[in-house]
Amino acid sequence: MAALTKSKLPLRRFLSPLSHRLLNPSSFSSAPEPHLQEGDDTSQTTPNFAAEETLIADTFHSLIKDHHRNNPNPNPNPAPPNPTYTIPSLSSYFSQLSTGGSISPAVVRRVIEKCGAVRHGIPVLQAVAFFNWATSREGFEHNPEPYNEMVDLAGKVRQFDLGWHVIDLMKARNVEITVETFSILVRRYVRAGLAAEAVHAFNRMEEYGVSPDRIAFSVVIGILCKKRRASEAQAFFDSLKHKFEADVILYTSLVNGWCRAGNIAEAERVFNEMKAAGIEPNVYSYSIVIDALCRCGQITRAHDVFAEMIDAGCNPNSITFNNLMRVHVKAGRTEKVLQVYNQMKRLGCNADVITYNFLIECHCKDENVEQAAKVLNLMVKKGCSPNASTFNPIFRCIAKLRDVNGAHRMYTQMKDLDCKANTVTYNVLMQMFAESKSTDMVLKLKKEMDENEVEPNVNTYKVLISMYCAMGHWNNAYRFCREMIEEKCLKPSMPVYEMVLKQLRNAGQLKKHEELVEKMVDRGFVTRPLAV
């Protein structure tokens, strides 16, 4: 415990005259939790926050991040956290922030969600401590939002006993437990490769007052199938299909599962079984089979299924055509992609963002930026909003052509369209500007990346560190290397690590050299220090 409480967090910078007003219960309300879609693999949808809610959630999260940064690994062999775990020093800071009243469940949920949003270095202990502190406060409005988010976080770090404790806590505190709560747990079990435990969770639903209806049955099968656990999904389906009437959704999920597992024969068996049972395949059923056939190279068979679909009176949608396009896009067959696109237009099917992205990607592979830009303008004219994946191939193509001015123009257009850049966007642009010696532009992009809370990755830091090493700026290279290791828990590649060490040795910074080696050893990134 001493190790956990040793840090002295700079609380003063978080406190302001606003804090009492921000935490007044009447200042904001909790947005309702949307229902988790079958097979959804992302975190739960973030509720719409008022600016004040966002500020207070970010303040709590900053306290948690600082404590975790100062105590990154309090125990070399950490055991699962005690479900009732608290950190007295953090609880004290939290309490000082919340003197004006209780905290909204939406804020608690948002803080936990932000804790789990990073790929590495999740502050599990601090998140558990915050959750226990917040939900045990007098006047806290107990609803499923923060509890479901905590179950999701526990599952993400594979602390399933903690997840069950949270569900038990919901039951003890009369917090509503729904199919959604269990679908979150099931999804995390499946992602961890624990299919049997996922089915066991379904079988325990009634213990918690949740009726395992057909929707719940479909959710479990959908999640198993999405994670390529088709044999487990099929066995689960076969064991309970007498209890729950099978429909097109269930059969389509199974077809999808076998397709994702690469077993086309089983997928077609289930597809035919569905038709034999008098259940008409829908557009998604056909599209899944077409996609699977295309992915395994059976293009002719895929077009046969497409023709069967038309003959059955089932109108294809953009997903169907995108599935037919995908294999040609990957192979760089622009002419074939355009043939599918023209057929799509003839049948009166509207293109979606994926369709346009495929067209742009093909033109960019041909280094035809002008044609890619025309497709971009067309999709905007048609009312289809581009995303980062629309622009990334264009930026790659522009970077390959070393057209710095073109990159500036395209990035300005991206902003004008209110399209959010992602990590790949920033990495491509930063690499390009670093190669053109535009250091200011690289740093501007990194600052914007941080402000927009776009998570940097190993490649982001590689660009920054390599740029400063090439300039001989050992101090900045060292700073970003430390940030990468300590704050982001990212492991630098050995060439990047050795590059920084060489810079430090050449600058005579042997103390910093040893500190960096120790950081790498402490994180388990290297087993022993490199020889100087």
Side-chain angles (χ1 to χ4, degrees):
M1 184 64 70
L4 286 169
T5 59
K6 68 180 180 182
S7 68
K8 300 297 182 184
L9 299 175
L11 181 65
R12 187 175 293 108
R13 71 185 174 92
F14 295 118
L15 293 173
S16 75
L18 283 172
S19 60
H20 288 274
R21 183 166 62 87
L22 290 175
L23 283 152
N24 188 310
S26 62
S27 296
F28 50 81
S29 62
S30 171
E33 176 79 5
H35 182 73
L36 185 71
Q37 296 299 311
E38 178 182 334
D40 192 333
D41 201 32
T42 60
S43 185
Q44 300 170 60
T45 304
T46 304
N48 292 325
F49 262 40
E52 293 180 344
E53 287 183 291
T54 301
L55 176 58
I56 195 61
D58 289 348
T59 303
F60 279 122
H61 183 242
S62 294
L63 285 168
I64 288 170
K65 278 201 309 182
D66 276 8
H67 188 280
H68 181 256
R69 187 180 300 119
N70 293 326
N71 304 271
N73 192 10
N75 184 345
N77 299 298
N82 185 322
T84 59
Y85 181 77
T86 59
I87 301 174
S89 61
L90 270 179
S91 295
S92 175
Y93 294 137
F94 295 152
S95 296
Q96 289 180 56
L97 271 175
S98 57
T99 54
S102 63
I103 303 170
S104 161
V107 168
V108 177
R109 177 187 179 226
R110 174 63 174 159
V111 172
I112 298 166
E113 182 184 47
K114 284 173 74 70
C115 287
V118 293
R119 289 182 178 272
H120 307 278
I122 295 174
V124 182
L125 294 175
Q126 290 82 358
V128 172
F130 172 76
F131 174 79
N132 287 331
W133 169 83
T135 58
S136 63
R137 285 176 60 80
E138 185 177 351
F140 181 75
E141 179 191 342
H142 296 279
N143 72 30
E145 287 187 4
Y147 291 88
N148 286 348
E149 197 66 51
M150 195 67 223
V151 170
D152 191 52
L153 179 63
K156 184 173 184 178
V157 296
R158 303 193 178 188
Q159 301 286 359
F160 291 104
D161 287 346
L162 175 62
W164 280 110
H165 165 79
V166 174
I167 295 174
D168 287 334
L169 200 60
M170 293 174 79
K171 185 177 181 180
R173 292 175 173 174
N174 293 319
V175 179
E176 183 184 13
I177 303 172
T178 64
V179 169
E180 181 182 355
T181 308
F182 277 92
S183 66
I184 291 168
L185 186 63
V186 165
R187 185 182 75 246
R188 288 301 180 186
Y189 269 131
V190 174
R191 291 196 70 177
L194 303 171
E197 286 80 354
V199 172
H200 179 65
F202 173 86
N203 292 332
R204 290 190 64 187
M205 287 173 67
E206 284 185 300
E207 293 178 34
Y208 293 88
V210 183
S211 175
D213 56 13
R214 190 172 67 178
I215 293 174
F217 185 51
S218 298
V219 166
V220 175
I221 288 176
I223 293 169
L224 286 167
C225 288
K226 188 171 184 181
K227 291 302 165 187
R228 297 180 172 85
R229 306 304 294 256
S231 57
E232 289 93 338
Q234 186 71 58
F236 182 57
F237 172 77
D238 291 341
S239 70
L240 288 173
K241 64 182 178 182
H242 65 281
K243 187 174 180 181
F244 302 105
E245 183 183 354
D247 59 11
V248 68
I249 295 173
L250 278 168
Y251 273 112
T252 300
S253 290
L254 287 170
V255 170
N256 184 40
W258 285 117
C259 288
R260 291 177 71 85
N263 193 330
I264 307 302
E266 273 299 297
E268 291 200 274
R269 181 193 65 77
V270 174
F271 189 71
N272 291 329
E273 180 185 308
M274 172 173 61
K275 291 190 288 185
I279 298 172
E280 288 295 324
N282 61 20
V283 63
Y284 300 105
S285 314
Y286 280 111
S287 297
I288 285 166
V289 173
I290 289 168
D291 182 48
L293 291 168
C294 286
R295 286 178 187 273
C296 68
Q298 297 185 38
I299 310 299
T300 302
R301 176 74 182 114
H303 281 279
D304 289 343
V305 174
F306 179 77
E308 177 189 325
M309 176 184 187
I310 300 293
D311 291 343
C314 183
N315 293 324
N317 62 13
S318 59
I319 296 172
T320 315
F321 286 104
N322 293 341
N323 290 345
L324 287 168
M325 280 186 190
R326 183 175 289 106
V327 66
H328 299 307
V329 173
K330 289 186 176 181
R333 295 190 286 261
T334 304
E335 189 176 329
K336 291 286 186 182
V337 173
L338 293 175
Q339 285 177 6
V340 175
Y341 177 59
N342 288 330
Q343 184 181 20
M344 184 179 188
K345 289 193 293 184
R346 283 197 302 273
L347 290 175
C349 180
N350 292 326
D352 64 9
V353 64
I354 295 175
T355 313
Y356 289 118
N357 287 358
F358 279 161
L359 293 171
I360 287 170
E361 187 176 340
C362 282
H363 291 309
C364 288
K365 281 183 177 180
D366 296 338
E367 295 187 10
N368 192 341
V369 180
E370 184 179 347
Q371 197 62 40
K374 286 182 180 179
V375 175
L376 171 62
N377 292 332
L378 174 65
M379 72 184 291
V380 172
K381 184 179 178 181
K382 294 285 187 180
C384 183
S385 298
N387 57 24
S389 296
T390 309
F391 283 92
N392 289 344
I394 301 176
F395 285 130
R396 286 195 188 96
C397 191
I398 289 172
K400 189 175 180 181
L401 298 171
R402 299 180 184 277
D403 184 4
V404 175
N405 291 332
H408 277 288
R409 287 193 300 271
M410 189 58 63
Y411 191 56
T412 299
Q413 184 177 359
M414 186 179 190
K415 284 186 167 182
D416 290 343
L417 292 170
D418 197 27
C419 178
K420 305 299 181 186
N422 64 12
T423 304
V424 174
T425 315
Y426 285 113
N427 287 352
V428 171
L429 290 173
M430 288 165 68
Q431 179 67 46
M432 181 183 183
F433 288 119
E435 289 174 356
S436 66
K437 311 299 182 186
S438 302
T439 308
D440 290 345
M441 193 62 192
V442 174
L443 297 179
K444 180 182 177 182
L445 287 168
K446 177 60 168 65
K447 181 183 178 184
E448 185 181 301
M449 193 176 188
D450 293 338
E451 289 172 349
N452 293 336
E453 297 186 340
V454 177
E455 195 68 21
N457 63 15
V458 172
N459 291 329
T460 313
Y461 285 102
K462 180 183 177 182
V463 171
L464 292 164
I465 292 168
S466 299
M467 178 183 74
Y468 278 120
C469 285
M471 296 167 65
H473 292 183
W474 64 265
N475 52 340
N476 287 320
Y478 172 73
R479 175 169 62 87
F480 278 116
C481 195
R482 284 280 299 257
E483 178 184 307
M484 178 184 188
I485 297 165
E486 292 181 346
E487 294 187 27
K488 305 301 180 182
C489 298
L490 294 171
K491 179 183 177 180
S493 67
M494 290 310 293
V496 169
Y497 174 48
E498 290 170 347
M499 190 193 315
V500 178
L501 290 182
K502 183 179 179 181
Q503 287 284 321
L504 294 173
R505 289 197 299 272
N506 291 343
Q509 297 292 327
L510 298 184
K511 183 179 178 181
K512 284 185 168 53
H513 182 287
E514 292 307 313
E515 287 175 356
L516 186 57
V517 169
E518 286 302 313
K519 290 290 179 187
M520 289 286 284
V521 172
D522 288 345
R523 289 284 185 183
F525 293 160
V526 292
T527 54
R528 64 179 184 277
L530 295 176
V532 178

